[in-house]
Amino acid sequence: MAKPKKPAKKSKAENKTKLKDEPLVLQTLRGMKDVLPENQPYWDQVRRVSERLARDYGFSRLDTPIVEYTNLYVRSIGEGTDIVDKEMYSFVTRGGDKVSLRPELTAGNCRSYIQHGMNVLPKPVKIFSTGPVYRYDRPQEGRYREHYQINYDAFGEQDPILDAQVIQIAHRLIQTLGIKLVQIQVNSIGCPACRRDYKELLINYLESKKAKLCQDCKKRMETNPLRVLDCKEDKCAQVAAAAPQSVDHLCDDCRTHFKTLLEYLDELDLPYAINPHLVRGLDYYTKTVFEILPISEEEKKNSAD
Ligand SMILES: [Zn+2]
Ligand SMILES: [Zn+2]
């Protein structure tokens, strides 16, 4: 967990003098930016398209606060993830509560779902949410510390048709915004039961290749071995290429779920490829994971063959 800053021990008066004497910086914080009037039409378009899709597919909008108890994120996203260990904006309020700016939307949605007894509603309960999230990430990787996410969450039902539907929504969203050449990559990372066995297998394999891994991955092996598979370092990618794959070690339930999902994607005519190295390290993720990537005209031809 990111350590909240120790409250300063100085008196209030001392603090005031100090802040006042600091030079005034007329600039956004690193990794954050203004959305200027001339750029608003683009943002409006994204909002319009995403809200229309939510309506079309029966998702109701939910807005939750930007600040929640830190513990909510630690418990749901999990220790050992970059988000919780390094990237949260955490602080202690004047009342002594440990809180964080939200690093993603789903944890708050789940909190709200339980707090307001939405579990008694007809299933699935489909929730649409959008807004800023905050991660203390390295801005040189082209990521913003304040950025915006669009979420389509379905609660209370496990049917793979819901996974197919969310993939279809994401695909439509991107296509409607004018990005036509894309490929959907899918994978299954299993459920807590089959993932436990797979993780063990993966750790044994990684242990045998430990010398070839980067420093970060040596640590990840202990805390979050799945993340080694999507490390961007060349040497780690080589190790990952020969690693055991989660799709080969799914339990019966997860295997049927994945197989049915792929059948739905075929029926919906969605252009997908299975990417066995596609993983997500958050603790609450199970089964289907997907990503949509831009591709070239040539890549499209090849994948159609
Ligand atoms: Zn399973
Ligand atoms: Zn690595």
Side-chain angles (χ1 to χ4, degrees):
M1 188 191 111
K3 255 193 193 154
K5 257 193 186 159
K6 264 194 190 161
K9 287 216 173 97
K10 290 170 198 152
S11 74
K12 269 186 192 160
E14 265 177 303
N15 263 338
K16 250 182 210 161
T17 334
K18 214 183 142 210
L19 269 178
K20 198 188 72 191
D21 291 341
E22 278 175 19
L24 179 60
V25 183
L26 294 176
Q27 209 169 41
T28 50
L29 295 177
R30 196 157 170 244
M32 301 201 183
K33 66 170 182 177
D34 300 318
V35 180
L36 296 173
E38 67 257 36
N39 290 327
Q40 291 296 338
Y42 302 108
W43 287 77
D44 275 344
Q45 176 66 357
V46 174
R47 277 190 285 262
R48 257 199 309 270
V49 172
S50 58
E51 283 166 13
R52 196 178 60 223
L53 281 165
R55 271 196 309 276
D56 289 353
Y57 284 82
F59 286 75
S60 309
R61 177 156 187 152
L62 171 67
D63 291 314
T64 61
I66 284 170
V67 187
E68 300 263 6
Y69 288 113
T70 297
N71 194 253
L72 176 70
Y73 302 117
V74 175
R75 293 285 293 275
S76 61
I77 298 170
E79 281 174 339
T81 58
D82 282 352
I83 296 180
V84 164
D85 290 354
K86 295 188 268 189
E87 297 174 358
M88 283 217 289
Y89 281 87
S90 301
F91 56 98
V92 180
T93 65
R94 286 168 195 265
D97 289 328
K98 292 174 183 160
V99 301
S100 295
L101 300 185
R102 61 185 185 196
E104 53 111 53
L105 296 169
T106 301
N109 291 347
C110 292
R111 194 263 313 134
S112 179
Y113 179 84
I114 296 164
Q115 183 179 341
H116 300 285
M118 289 188 231
N119 57 321
V120 301
L121 300 172
K123 309 279 186 334
V125 178
K126 292 169 155 188
I127 298 292
F128 165 71
S129 53
T130 181
V133 299
Y134 300 85
R135 291 186 197 173
Y136 201 81
D137 210 341
R138 276 168 294 176
Q140 67 265 31
E141 287 176 359
R143 300 175 180 194
Y144 288 100
R145 288 178 172 176
E146 181 189 61
H147 63 273
Y148 288 76
Q149 290 192 354
I150 299 169
N151 259 45
Y152 299 88
D153 287 304
F155 292 91
E157 219 175 77
Q158 299 257 350
D159 198 312
I161 190 72
L162 288 169
D163 296 8
Q165 201 174 67
V166 170
I167 293 173
Q168 191 183 33
I169 292 172
H171 186 250
R172 280 206 178 158
L173 177 64
I174 288 169
Q175 296 236 304
T176 311
L177 293 173
I179 304 163
K180 300 289 183 191
L181 285 173
V182 294
Q183 185 191 51
I184 301 162
Q185 297 195 344
V186 288
N187 191 22
S188 174
I189 54 171
C191 64
C194 55
R195 199 172 345 162
R196 196 174 322 118
D197 298 340
Y198 169 66
K199 253 188 187 173
E200 226 165 83
L201 210 70
L202 181 63
I203 292 170
N204 283 340
Y205 168 79
L206 294 174
E207 201 70 62
S208 72
K209 309 277 175 199
K210 195 170 180 178
K212 293 183 183 161
L213 296 174
C214 76
Q215 285 308 321
D216 278 347
C217 283
K218 279 179 188 147
K219 269 181 244 148
R220 281 183 193 130
M221 264 179 60
E222 322 278 327
T223 54
N224 204 342
L226 256 63
R227 290 305 304 271
V228 175
L229 298 180
D230 71 351
C231 179
K232 301 289 174 268
E233 295 268 343
D234 260 355
K235 49 186 182 176
C236 301
Q238 279 171 26
V239 172
Q245 302 177 349
S246 57
V247 274
D248 295 330
H249 300 278
L250 299 175
C251 65
D252 287 348
D253 177 47
C254 288
R255 197 176 319 118
T256 311
H257 185 101
F258 193 50
K259 209 178 134 256
T260 316
L261 168 76
L262 298 182
E263 284 166 12
Y264 285 133
L265 296 181
D266 285 330
E267 262 173 56
L268 294 168
D269 227 359
L270 291 166
Y272 71 86
I274 297 172
N275 175 1
H277 295 131
L278 186 60
V279 293
R280 284 294 174 274
L282 309 199
D283 280 1
Y284 69 75
Y285 283 148
T286 57
K287 295 195 170 108
T288 311
V289 290
F290 74 97
E291 227 171 68
I292 299 181
L293 305 165
I295 53 168
S296 66
E297 196 70 61
E298 201 156 318
E299 284 169 310
K300 191 190 162 99
K301 267 189 218 135
N302 290 342
S303 71
D305 291 341

